Amino acid sequence: MGSKEILEMASGAHDMALAVEILLPVKALSQNQTSLTRFIERAAAGDTAAFEQIMIHSQQRVMAMTWRMLGNEADARDASQEVFLRVYKYLKRFKQDQDFFGWLYGITINVCRDITRKRHQQNERFTSFDAGNEDGAFAVPSGLESVDDAAVHSQQRELIGRALATLPVKERASIVLRDVEGLSTDEVARILNSSPTTVRSQISSARKKIKIYCEQYLRK
Amino acid sequence: MNCKHVQELLPLFTGRDLDQNRATLVTAHMQSCAACAASAREYRESQQLLQQFATPQFSEAVYSGIRQRVLREISEQPVAPTLGESIAGWFRPRARWAIATVLLLAVSGLAFYLIATRTNGPQQISKGNDQRETSSTGSKPTVSPSPSNRQSHGPTSPAANPDAGGGRTGAGPLDGRYQFQRRKSSRAAAGPGPHTPDVRVITPDIRVIAAQTSPQSKPPVAPNTAADPASEKTLRVDIQTSDQNIRIIWFTHQPAKQGSPGKSSKRIQEVSSHA
């Protein structure tokens, strides 16, 4: 999604803020694209130092994605580790004209699906969302002024985590890629090997469920 | 557009995933419907929550721990050569020379074999043709029997075989190609039936070059003579070819001095075939 398109889509103040929030990472990405391409080439040839640079460039996206899909930090760390191992293994198959992060998202979704499937097979249930503050893994946002604000912040994060956990894996992946990562419907369909129509249907269903879950929590 | 329809479209509308036409209709409906407008507000709030709090912020320790574990596992993995690398290993300098040498030898050997077989092939074919021709050289020294002298004498007897000795029978341009003895056995064994005639069809101006007589030869009947006192001295040689329709009849005069019994004599007789 180009910066121009994002600005055109923004109509209100809130939307403008959202557009700006999304704009900056895109600009940063375009500046680093050349260096990332070079790192990919060298890492595909076996340069582990170059591969470490690739991990640094993409670790936030991967960790955030795995956390959103799996709901707790421990599983997210294991999943992120597996994602990077697969990236290293299949990096030689990556074509330079492909979208690297789209390819990375695809691997991440597959790893999360595998872990979720294994979890179901072992009859594990996602019962509580890990806010992540118990072991201090989560960094506290710098804009919060008081402990109460931090607590509210944590509760809201837990709320969203639980709402996401109620979704089937495919709907969860669709809405995270579309609403959180900001990818277009076509890009989401490509990553998930699905059609745009199916993706829209999954997104619509996921948004309804999240809205209903949030309403129920807020009414309590 | 009614409220039920709008409620179905609101999730896509608030996320800007609705096409322009339907988005316009939903917007127009919400301007007159407070309930649908309130639902749209709730959808936007949940999406804001999702976008705001679904982005965790982890400490650098978490990220560095992940990187270290990944790099350690990569270093511990055995470096298994891929198929391409294995094949590429065959083309290392030394292996490359060895493979090139082997290929060169193989190609050279194949080319030599092909050339050799092609060279020998025609020779073998020509040899086979020669043998066939020599075995049917009765066609060369052919006899054109006159109709009055045609008699059925059955298969040739060794005595009637002018070349019972096998091989060379005398001087002449076609000498040395008389091999009736050899062919006789094959003809005898072949039995009736279609066979390639060993003797060529009689053509004019072909001369009989060689003939062989034996003491056991039947007394020939002189051509065009029923009874001729001089015919007692004429030797007739009947040669039956493999083709039952072709028989060679030779007439020759007995020599003035007969050799010891059993000794064969050879004469050259010119026979002109009748047209």
Side-chain angles (χ1 to χ4, degrees):
Chain A
M1 187 185 295
S3 56
K4 197 173 178 182
E5 293 168 356
I6 295 171
L7 287 173
E8 286 174 357
M9 287 171 58
S11 57
H14 168 74
D15 293 332
M16 180 61 75
L18 181 63
V20 170
E21 188 177 336
I22 296 172
L23 180 63
L24 290 175
V26 172
K27 263 194 174 177
L29 180 63
S30 62
Q31 289 172 359
N32 290 332
Q33 194 70 26
T34 309
S35 59
L36 185 63
T37 305
R38 267 191 253 120
F39 288 140
I40 291 170
E41 287 174 0
R42 283 161 49 187
D47 187 349
T48 51
F51 183 70
E52 188 173 5
Q53 291 299 316
I54 293 174
M55 285 197 286
I56 292 171
H57 275 78
S58 53
Q59 61 193 8
Q60 287 184 0
R61 290 172 188 252
V62 171
M63 193 63 187
M65 191 72 195
T66 54
W67 183 83
R68 290 168 198 142
M69 293 297 294
L70 300 173
N72 65 84
E73 187 191 333
D75 285 346
R77 276 206 303 256
D78 294 341
S80 299
Q81 188 175 326
E82 179 62 25
V83 166
F84 287 124
L85 287 172
R86 289 194 191 183
V87 166
Y88 183 78
K89 183 179 176 183
Y90 298 119
L91 200 57
K92 290 171 187 171
R93 300 185 191 177
F94 174 76
K95 297 175 187 173
Q96 292 296 342
D97 57 348
Q98 278 180 271
D99 173 25
F100 176 75
F101 289 110
W103 181 70
L104 182 66
Y105 282 135
I107 294 176
T108 306
I109 297 290
N110 288 334
V111 168
C112 293
R113 274 185 191 157
D114 293 343
I115 292 175
T116 305
R117 197 178 298 129
K118 197 185 296 181
R119 199 189 271 173
H120 282 284
Q121 288 173 353
Q122 294 171 355
N123 290 326
E124 291 178 14
R125 286 188 177 185
F126 181 79
T127 54
S128 63
F129 176 74
D130 178 10
N133 281 338
E134 292 177 0
D135 54 357
F138 275 99
V140 177
S142 56
L144 298 178
E145 296 179 354
S146 65
V147 176
D148 291 338
D149 291 339
V152 169
H153 195 89
S154 175
Q155 286 176 358
Q156 287 173 330
R157 178 180 287 118
E158 184 176 347
L159 171 66
I160 292 301
R162 285 183 171 176
L164 286 173
T166 62
L167 301 176
V169 173
K170 291 184 180 178
E171 288 184 7
R172 199 184 315 162
S174 299
I175 197 168
V176 165
L177 289 172
R178 177 74 182 96
D179 287 352
V180 181
E181 296 293 336
L183 302 179
S184 69
T185 308
D186 292 338
E187 288 172 331
V188 174
R190 196 164 47 246
I191 290 170
L192 299 180
N193 284 328
S194 184
S195 67
T197 307
T198 304
V199 169
R200 276 191 213 98
S201 172
Q202 290 170 344
I203 289 171
S204 176
S205 175
R207 284 171 181 164
K208 275 184 200 171
K209 291 174 184 174
I210 288 177
K211 178 221 175 210
I212 293 169
Y213 191 90
C214 290
E215 277 179 1
Q216 291 174 351
Y217 178 79
L218 292 173
R219 281 173 195 169
K220 287 180 183 177
Chain B
M1 192 171 275
N2 55 28
C3 288
K4 188 179 177 184
H5 197 189
V6 169
Q7 288 290 328
E8 291 294 324
L9 296 177
L10 276 178
L12 293 177
F13 172 78
T14 53
R16 291 185 172 80
D17 292 313
L18 207 60
D19 57 274
Q20 189 61 39
N21 292 335
R22 288 193 287 180
T24 306
L25 292 172
V26 170
T27 304
H29 175 84
M30 284 195 302
Q31 286 174 356
S32 59
C33 179
C36 292
S39 289
R41 250 193 324 273
E42 288 167 1
Y43 272 112
R44 286 200 186 94
E45 286 171 3
S46 64
Q47 285 178 10
Q48 286 174 25
L49 274 176
L50 181 65
Q51 289 157 1
Q52 186 177 359
F53 296 104
T55 306
Q57 294 178 3
F58 297 97
S59 62
E60 178 56 30
V62 172
Y63 295 124
S64 66
I66 292 172
R67 290 198 305 271
Q68 285 172 11
R69 281 193 295 274
V70 170
L71 291 173
R72 184 167 59 240
E73 197 152 333
I74 288 172
S75 63
E76 289 173 359
Q77 283 177 356
V79 183
T82 61
L83 180 63
E85 288 170 350
S86 304
I87 295 173
W90 297 350
F91 295 96
R92 287 192 195 125
R94 285 188 184 177
R96 216 182 319 174
W97 284 112
I99 292 172
T101 305
V102 168
L103 284 174
L104 187 64
L105 288 173
V107 169
S108 303
L110 184 63
F112 180 75
Y113 173 75
L114 289 174
I115 292 170
T117 51
R118 282 191 181 178
T119 306
N120 291 334
Q123 290 178 4
Q124 290 173 355
I125 294 170
S126 65
K127 276 185 186 174
N129 288 337
D130 287 344
Q131 288 179 356
R132 215 172 291 134
E133 286 180 4
T134 54
S135 65
S136 63
T137 47
S139 66
K140 300 270 170 103
T142 53
V143 176
S144 171
S146 59
S148 59
N149 293 328
R150 278 188 188 164
Q151 292 185 9
S152 173
H153 287 273
T156 55
S157 60
N161 193 335
D163 197 20
R168 300 184 175 273
T169 56
L174 300 178
D175 196 18
R177 302 186 188 179
Y178 227 32
Q179 297 182 3
F180 284 100
Q181 182 64 30
R182 190 190 312 170
R183 278 292 177 180
K184 176 174 172 286
S185 60
S186 64
R187 285 197 298 271
H195 299 289
T196 304
D198 295 328
V199 180
R200 204 179 293 174
V201 174
I202 296 172
T203 59
D205 298 327
I206 293 180
R207 299 181 175 185
V208 175
I209 299 303
Q212 186 174 4
T213 61
S214 68
Q216 298 179 357
S217 62
K218 297 182 180 174
V221 177
N224 298 323
T225 56
D228 188 355
S231 67
E232 295 179 358
K233 298 183 180 177
T234 302
L235 180 63
R236 170 179 167 145
V237 177
D238 283 16
I239 302 170
Q240 180 66 44
T241 66
S242 60
D243 188 356
Q244 293 177 354
N245 296 323
I246 299 175
R247 185 170 9 113
I248 301 172
I249 304 173
W250 288 358
F251 296 94
T252 182
H253 294 290
Q254 286 183 347
K257 287 186 180 179
Q258 289 191 351
S260 57
K263 185 177 178 180
S264 62
S265 62
K266 301 174 186 179
R267 284 287 178 95
I268 297 176
Q269 179 181 7
E270 289 185 3
V271 174
S272 61
S273 60
H274 296 282

